[in-house]
Amino acid sequence: MSLLRIEKNNGIATVYLNRPDKRNAMSFALLKELVSTAKKIEKDRSIRCVILTGEAHVFSAGIDLSDLNNPKNTAFAAWELIKPGQSLFQKAFLIWQNLPIPVIAAIEGYCFGAGMQLALAADIRIATPNTQMSIMESRWGLVPDMGLTRSLKGLISVDLAKELTLTARIFDAEYAKNIGLVTHLDQDPLAKAHVIAQEMLQRSPDALMAAKRVLDAMEHQPEKALRLEKLWQLKLLLGKNSALARKKDKNPEVQFLPRQYK
């Protein structure tokens, strides 16, 4: 059985974490599949928005401790942590943040540890009010090492990030919304995610990508943000979808071309 289930419909790819018997816990194999799936989605320009969610009304209960505690995985994990560049544990999550298309997380049930770090890698997070969430790694004697220092930056203050990380406290999504970790609360996060995705599909896929790149730079590369505004605007003006967007504003039947830029 595939550890991820993908549904494609009219430009939207819905990616389900597919380990319902394990509350969609993140095994090492699932981490690898997250990377390979994101790479396939990036190459498929018919996909214009991604929704990340979990089977059985659970997002993810976190890292699979049986994998983590298996001595057979010790050497693999050690190499991932000492090798140059991003580890598998970072790449499996940050690759979604770096996709050239919007990524929405639809969250229910549990969103713990690795699950939280995947949700934070999305551009938008929607959760049921009673979803249970936690930056849980310190409970297992670990530190968050799946790109949290990038994906959490700018969402909440550093002191609050420290408090939640150091205590591994479990909190509900209503609290998460109040502090800025969750974008929207909804009793049906997946349906809400599709509504937002449909709105995005009315816009140029190149404009969506450029806006995501510029806003990410605003947070993570502020010294480059103004230059990127100019660069992307020039690319969009020279592209075909910008002209189509202006035509579509008067005629909704106009269709965009596939994304031109990477």
Side-chain angles (χ1 to χ4, degrees), residues 23 61-63 65 110-114 116-117 132-144 148 164-171:
R23 296 191 300 183
I63 197 70
L65 292 176
Y110 300 103
C111 185
F112 292 160
M116 173 68 87
Q117 294 191 70
Q132 300 295 291
M133 313 183 87
S134 176
I135 303 172
M136 189 169 274
E137 283 76 7
S138 68
R139 178 172 294 198
W140 315 124
L142 302 170
V143 66
L148 186 84
L164 295 178
T165 302
L166 298 177
T167 63
R169 180 183 304 142
I170 296 173
F171 50 91

Side-chain angles (χ1 to χ4, degrees), residues 105-126:
I107 309 165
E108 295 183 76
Y110 300 103
C111 185
F112 292 160
M116 173 68 87
Q117 294 191 70
L118 179 60
L120 290 173
D123 300 298
I124 295 168
R125 283 160 294 285
I126 307 165

Side-chain angles (χ1 to χ4, degrees), residues 53-92:
T53 193
E55 295 282 13
H57 302 286
V58 174
F59 192 70
S60 175
I63 197 70
D64 189 329
L65 292 176
S66 62
D67 259 20
L68 193 64
N69 295 329
N70 188 338
K72 294 180 180 179
N73 291 327
T74 302
F76 170 79
W79 168 244
E80 287 294 326
L81 294 174
I82 64 175
K83 74 178 186 181
Q86 291 184 7
S87 70
L88 169 67
F89 311 110
Q90 294 170 329
K91 187 179 297 183

